[in-house]
Structures are given as structure tokens and as C-alpha cells.
Amino acid sequence: MPRCNAGRRGLVMAAEDVAQLADSLAKTQVGEAELSYKGQGLKLDNAASVETIVRDIKAFQGLQALRLEGNTVGVEAAQAIAKALEDKSDFQCCYWSDMFTGRLRSEIPPALNSLGAALMTAGARLRVLDLSDNAFGPDGVKGIEKLLKSEACHTLQELRLNNCGMGIGGGKILAASLIECHKQSSAKGAALKLKVFIAGRNRLENDGATALAQAFQMIGSLEEVHMPQNGINHPGVTALANALQHNSQLRVVNLNDNTFTKKGAIAMAQALKHLRSVQVINFGDCLVRSEGAAAIAEALTEGLPLLKELNLSFGEITEEAALVVARAVHRKEHLEKLDLNGNSLGEEGCEALRETLESMNMGELLGSLSDDEGEPGDDDDDDDVDENENDDDDDDDDDDDDDDDNEEEDVDEEDEAEDSGVNQVTTPPSAPRPPDVGSFLSFPSPDKLLRLGAKRALLIEQQVTWIVGNAGATAEAFLKISSVYKEEEDVKNAVLDSVDAVLRKAFSSQSFQSFQFISSLLVMLGLLKDKVKPMRVVEGHLFVLEHVVQQDYFPQEHIDVLHAFLSRHSKACDSCSSARDRLKSTLQRIRPDA
């Protein structure tokens, strides 16, 4: 039953039909040059498991794109697919995000090597390489190193490596590969013209960012750069700023949730003066400070005629600096959104900001100010308290082994960071800077959840909407939220409301792979063996799951599955025996055939 690009919606599968329909759903041709197996949750371990895919690839004349997102591909299966790609000279687009779920880290590099070698053999000329959400660490970057340096990537326009755990070492390998690709392609008369670079949540830190900055400066053709949540401080930000000004066509720069401080913000403002095509600036949660905001306002006054969005939220910006920014956006006829939430304006400052923008007929462009911190106290200042902290605080490649850890260990990483003082921002204990949703999901804690405010459930639902098509990522988000569960009424209600918002949204989506969600959940809880290190199960996971299975949005057909695995592999939850037994009892009581 092929699914075309126009889409055939509404296909409903009973549990017993999944295996029977797998083959018919596998052959998925989209448009006239793309094969898609996206989101089918296929477990492709060996050559036999990919016979249909291989046959379809071989039969597809002029194949340009292959989508394998949301499946799990082993080494032997990857080798078989690679063999089929060896004569596909028209091939251009690799949509291969989230395709190693449950695989050992050691399996990923050889799988990537095989696929890359096949594309080189075919004489392919790639436009898009998307390997996001594969968490393969620096070794995974080594798996694509030869491909990135080859002629197959001389034509690359989009490189998407979001949430891959590359670390500093992986960032350096990636930068060197891009530089070599540019040199080789230039020598052949057609220099690499990379347009889109995405590498958020990779722990690149200063050294990784600085290495990539060298590549960006050489390439000079970037239009979008997304590097949020990478632990980059002002030395790395300054290196990126110096490089980005050489990319005159830059339209989007997203460095959300790194730590600029005044020095980094001023350097970035200087770079923006050279860039007239920028439309979106996201420096939210970057601690740009008042002086940094004023410098950015100066850049706004002098240029940036096409600006559509400016995010300077949670930056410890005071009223005076915020008003300077507001006045600087006057006559920005393309502006659609200005975000100054979470700063230090105070009630009167918020009102003054609104009045200033309304006087320019731009009041409707201002985002919410509901999380404003209030005016800074007498002991709060803009001194360089943390400007001098460990400019060279990035560890060497010895730390890169840590990049092999899964995302579920981020809770412990935050504690370690606090103990070591690395990349920490000094904030007055009397007025903690409220976290954004991304910060909470990266390093969950009850306090962060509560400080998201009364609209936390809606905020979290909006933040994770983009992963609803990724059942594994949705399961991970559920476990991160539930990990902070406590019996205290305010925390308990906050957790349950947030989980309900996320899962109700997910299960109501026709494209959501609910069976894949349950499989991923079982793997992460250690109830299903799948060659992946499970999470450390805490009572909150099981208490919240007990709540979820009793809600009207939860599919009844999954209750028996959960009960069966919990009964069969209950030792995986021995550390939470009370919560485990309570969940088993509830599942037994509400089973459809009970």
C-alpha cells in the first residue's frame, strides 16, 4: 500500500496487523525521485530485513532522495542498503536522522562508513545530509569524515547534525572535514557553497565552536546557522562572530542558550553590522547583558534592514537598555516579533517598553513579558563577574568519551557542572534567572519546572511539538518530565499537567507512531532488551506512567503490552519495587479483558 507525497491519511493499525502491514508500507515512493520509509519503526538488523528496501532502491531509476528517519538500522542492513546505492549517480539527499535507535555506539561508524562509501562509488552529488538525533558522538563524526571530504559533498548545501553528542572532538573533526572539502572543491573550480548548518545540543563548547568558526569563515556562503545549547562562552561566541561576518548572505543565526556575556554580545553586534540579509536573530537565554543589548541596538540602527525576528529574552537586560533596543527597531518594516521576556525591567519598565513600541505603532510585535525578573537589586550589577571565568575552560578531547553517554544522563551532568564551576553563570541567589523550557528538558529539576510558571504545560507542549513525529524523542521527553515527580502537591500537579499536555497532543496526531513510542519507552526503562543502555529508573517514571495509562488519551491496546513486559522483566525496576508493584496492580485492574 504505497504512500504518495500527497499522503493517504487515516490508516489505523491493530496490534496484530503491524507485522503483516510492514512490507506493504515499506515500499513508499514520494514524488518522482524519493523513496521514504520515514517513521515506520522498522528494525533493520540484517540483509534479510531490508530485502524489500534494497529491491525498491534498485528498481528506482533516477533516485535522488532516501528517507530512513525513525527506523533503526544495523551494520549488516546498512551494508545491504549501501550496495544498492552504489549505482545511483543521481542521488542527492540523505534524510537519515534518528535511524540508530537502540544500536550500540560501536555499530554506528561502520554503518555510516558503508553508506558513505556507496555514495562516493556512485558518483553522487549531495545537497542534503541530515543525521540529526543519532547521538553518535565523536566516533560517529569519524564515520562520515571520508564522505564529507569527498567529491560527493562538494555540492552540499544543507548539513544537519542536531543533537548528535559530537562534543569538542567531534566538532574539530567536522570542522577539519569541511575545510578540506572546501579546499578540494575550490581546486576543482566549484567551491563548496554550504547554505544551512545545524548543530544544536552537541556540547561543542569553546574549542569546538572556534574550530567550526574557521570553517565558516572559509566557506563564506552560509545562510542559516543554528547552534543552540552548546555550552559556548564568549571566546567561542567571539570566534563565531568574526567568522559569520564573512557570510554576507546569512539570514538566520540561532545561538540560543549559550553564554555570551557582554564581551560575546559586543563581538556579535559588530559582526551584525556587516550583515544586511539577516532576518532572524535568536540570542535568547544568552545573557547578553545591558551593554551587549545596547551594542546590538546600535547594529540595528545602522543596518539589518530585513530583520523579522529578534530574541533577546532572559539576558539580564535592564529597562534602559531594553528601551534602547525598542527605539532601534523603529522603521524595521519587516519586523514581526520582538522578544524581551525574562529580563530585569520591573513593572514600570515593562509598561514603558510597551508604551514606547505602541507610540511607534509596533506594540503588537512585542512578545509576552510575563517572566520578567523585576528591577535588579542594589547588589546586582553588570560588572564582568563572570566575564573572566575560565576563558579556556573547555576540556581536551579526554572528555569526548563522555559524549557517548545518552541524553538521559544530562541530570547528572548538570550536577557535575555545578561542582566543577565549568560554564556556570553567577546569578544572585535572591533572584535566580528563570529557565526556559529547553533548559528544563536538558537538565530537569522540580525547581526549574515550577519556575516555568502557571503556563508551564502549554509552554512544554509547544516546545516539544516538533518531536511529535518522533516517537522515541517523545518517550524521552516524557521520562525527563516524570523524573522530577514528587508527592508535594505543587510539583506533582506540575508534572502531571505537563505530561498530559505532551502526550494528549502526541496521541491525537494521526502521524504519531504510538507502537514505536511504547517500544522506545520499554527500552529506556530496561523492560525491553535492545542493545541500548537503559535509563536509571526512578519512582517518578512509574508513578507518572500509572497516571498516564488511566487517562482517556492513552490507547487501550497498549495496556496489555505494558502489563506483559512489566510482569516478565520486573527485575529491571527492582530499585523502585513499590512504584512498580503499584503500576502492575493498576494495569491489571484496567486491562481491557480484566
Side-chain angles (χ1 to χ4, degrees):
M1 188 180 298
R3 182 183 58 203
C4 296
N5 200 23
R8 291 183 179 176
R9 304 290 186 250
L11 180 63
V12 179
M13 293 186 293
E16 60 270 22
D17 295 328
V18 174
Q20 181 180 348
L21 290 175
D23 287 339
S24 59
L25 285 174
K27 188 174 182 179
T28 310
Q29 181 172 332
V30 181
E32 58 183 26
E34 177 181 299
L35 274 176
S36 176
Y37 305 88
K38 180 179 179 180
Q40 295 185 13
L42 303 175
K43 194 170 187 296
L44 308 172
D45 294 325
N46 48 42
S49 65
V50 293
E51 285 181 353
T52 301
I53 296 176
V54 167
R55 184 170 59 249
D56 292 344
I57 292 173
K58 289 181 177 179
F60 200 130
Q61 298 300 314
L63 179 65
Q64 293 181 353
L66 178 62
R67 290 189 174 273
L68 294 173
E69 310 105 305
N71 300 291
T72 175
V73 183
V75 176
E76 188 180 334
Q79 290 170 343
I81 293 173
K83 188 69 176 175
L85 289 170
E86 286 183 350
D87 64 350
K88 300 300 176 182
S89 59
D90 295 323
F91 198 81
Q92 298 179 15
C93 302
C94 307
Y95 298 107
W96 296 346
S97 64
D98 187 28
M99 71 170 194
F100 293 116
T101 300
R103 299 293 168 183
L104 294 174
R105 289 309 248 287
S106 59
E107 292 183 86
I108 301 176
L112 291 173
N113 269 317
S114 297
L115 292 165
L119 297 177
M120 290 185 277
T121 299
R125 293 294 180 265
L126 296 184
R127 287 191 301 105
V128 179
L129 178 58
D130 185 358
L131 290 167
S132 296
D133 300 316
N134 279 312
F136 45 48
D139 287 342
V141 185
K142 293 178 183 177
I144 58 172
E145 184 177 6
K146 290 181 180 178
L147 175 63
L148 287 172
K149 292 179 179 180
S150 74
E151 283 191 59
C153 286
H154 287 186
T155 52
L156 193 64
Q157 295 181 18
E158 298 183 20
L159 180 58
R160 301 172 181 267
L161 297 169
N162 201 57
N163 192 28
C164 287
M166 289 189 290
I168 296 170
K172 289 181 176 180
I173 295 169
L174 177 61
S177 299
L178 290 173
I179 289 172
E180 182 63 23
C181 182
H182 187 270
K183 287 180 179 178
Q184 295 291 338
S185 58
S186 298
K188 291 181 177 295
L192 169 67
K193 294 189 179 299
L194 188 67
K195 295 181 179 180
V196 177
F197 180 85
I198 301 177
R201 298 187 68 189
N202 271 291
R203 290 180 280 183
L204 295 169
E205 303 183 30
N206 289 339
D207 284 356
T210 300
L212 285 165
Q214 295 173 4
F216 295 166
Q217 182 166 334
M218 178 177 287
I219 292 169
S221 57
L222 289 167
E223 297 180 8
E224 295 185 28
V225 174
H226 302 262
M227 297 174 66
Q229 292 185 325
N230 269 298
I232 307 171
N233 294 334
H234 69 80
V237 172
T238 300
L240 288 171
N242 293 336
L244 292 180
Q245 65 182 306
H246 294 277
N247 291 262
S248 60
Q249 298 305 308
L250 190 67
R251 294 183 295 103
V252 179
V253 54
N254 175 9
L255 294 173
N256 187 281
D257 202 8
N258 291 291
T259 308
F260 284 33
T261 58
K262 179 181 71 177
K263 289 182 180 179
I266 291 175
M268 193 59 72
Q270 290 300 315
L272 291 173
K273 293 179 180 180
H274 299 273
L275 300 168
R276 297 189 60 81
S277 298
V278 172
Q279 298 177 18
V280 178
I281 298 173
N282 186 345
F283 297 158
D285 206 19
C286 284
L287 203 70
V288 299
R289 295 271 175 78
S290 293
E291 289 184 66
I296 292 170
E298 183 180 333
L300 287 166
T301 302
E302 295 182 12
L304 299 170
L306 303 179
L307 189 67
K308 292 182 178 181
E309 296 183 20
L310 175 61
N311 183 348
L312 296 177
S313 60
F314 298 101
E316 291 191 359
I317 300 170
T318 59
E319 174 187 350
E320 182 180 354
L323 292 176
V324 171
V325 172
R327 297 185 188 106
V329 299
H330 186 43
R331 303 189 191 285
K332 298 296 178 189
E333 59 185 33
H334 299 287
L335 192 68
E336 298 173 358
K337 182 178 181 181
L338 174 63
D339 191 347
L340 287 166
N341 196 20
N343 285 298
S344 303
L345 309 184
E347 186 174 343
E348 292 183 2
C350 289
E351 186 59 33
L353 179 61
R354 293 189 187 96
E355 290 178 356
T356 297
L357 288 166
E358 286 172 359
S359 70
M360 301 185 296
N361 294 320
M362 302 178 76
E364 73 281 0
L365 306 183
L366 181 64
S368 169
L369 298 174
S370 61
D371 291 321
D372 186 75
E373 291 189 42
E375 295 182 59
D378 293 337
D379 58 343
D380 294 332
D381 55 44
D382 246 1
D383 292 342
D384 293 346
V385 176
D386 51 344
E387 296 285 354
N388 298 320
E389 65 165 352
N390 301 335
D391 283 4
D392 299 318
D393 59 0
D394 297 297
D395 295 328
D396 291 330
D397 292 356
D398 293 342
D399 286 338
D400 291 341
D401 291 339
D402 294 337
D403 293 332
D404 290 345
D405 297 332
N406 289 329
E407 285 297 329
E408 55 262 31
E409 296 179 14
D410 280 343
V411 178
D412 295 331
E413 289 170 16
E414 183 186 47
D415 294 335
E416 292 167 8
E418 290 174 353
D419 292 339
S420 65
V422 176
N423 296 335
Q424 296 302 300
V425 177
T426 303
T427 50
S430 59
R433 183 162 59 96
D436 62 9
V437 177
S439 175
F440 165 70
L441 290 174
S442 295
F443 306 114
S445 73
D447 184 54
K448 282 185 178 180
L449 180 63
L450 292 178
R451 285 194 282 131
L452 288 174
K455 296 182 179 180
R456 65 181 68 86
L458 176 62
L459 293 172
I460 292 175
E461 177 198 326
Q462 292 173 340
Q463 176 76 9
V464 302
T465 294
W466 67 274
I467 65 171
V468 163
N470 184 332
T474 305
E476 183 181 352
F478 161 74
L479 290 174
K480 286 189 173 185
I481 299 168
S482 60
S483 70
V484 306
Y485 177 91
K486 289 186 177 181
E487 285 296 336
E488 285 90 335
E489 198 67 21
D490 53 350
V491 176
K492 177 180 178 180
N493 290 338
V495 169
L496 297 183
D497 289 348
S498 301
V499 164
D500 284 342
V502 171
L503 295 188
R504 189 179 299 278
K505 178 81 171 180
F507 285 120
S508 66
S509 171
Q510 290 186 353
S511 62
F512 185 66
Q513 299 286 324
S514 63
F515 285 97
Q516 183 64 28
F517 169 83
I518 294 298
S519 297
S520 299
L521 190 63
L522 292 171
V523 169
M524 293 177 191
L525 291 174
L527 297 171
L528 177 61
K529 302 296 182 182
D530 198 27
K531 296 183 180 181
V532 65
K533 181 181 177 182
M535 279 189 175
R536 179 172 61 87
V537 181
V538 297
E539 286 190 335
H541 292 145
L542 305 182
F543 283 143
V544 177
L545 186 55
E546 181 191 11
H547 162 83
V548 166
V549 299
Q550 299 179 79
Q551 303 310 303
D552 57 4
Y553 60 73
F554 189 79
Q556 290 290 300
E557 60 265 29
H558 298 328
I559 292 175
D560 276 336
V561 176
L562 285 174
H563 184 268
F565 276 92
L566 199 64
S567 300
R568 189 183 311 164
H569 300 293
S570 58
K571 288 185 179 180
C573 302
D574 275 352
S575 61
C576 311
S577 57
S578 176
R580 176 199 64 200
D581 293 343
R582 203 170 91 175
L583 174 58
K584 285 174 62 178
S585 176
T586 298
L587 289 168
Q588 176 64 34
R589 175 172 54 81
I590 64 175
R591 289 174 64 190
D593 58 351

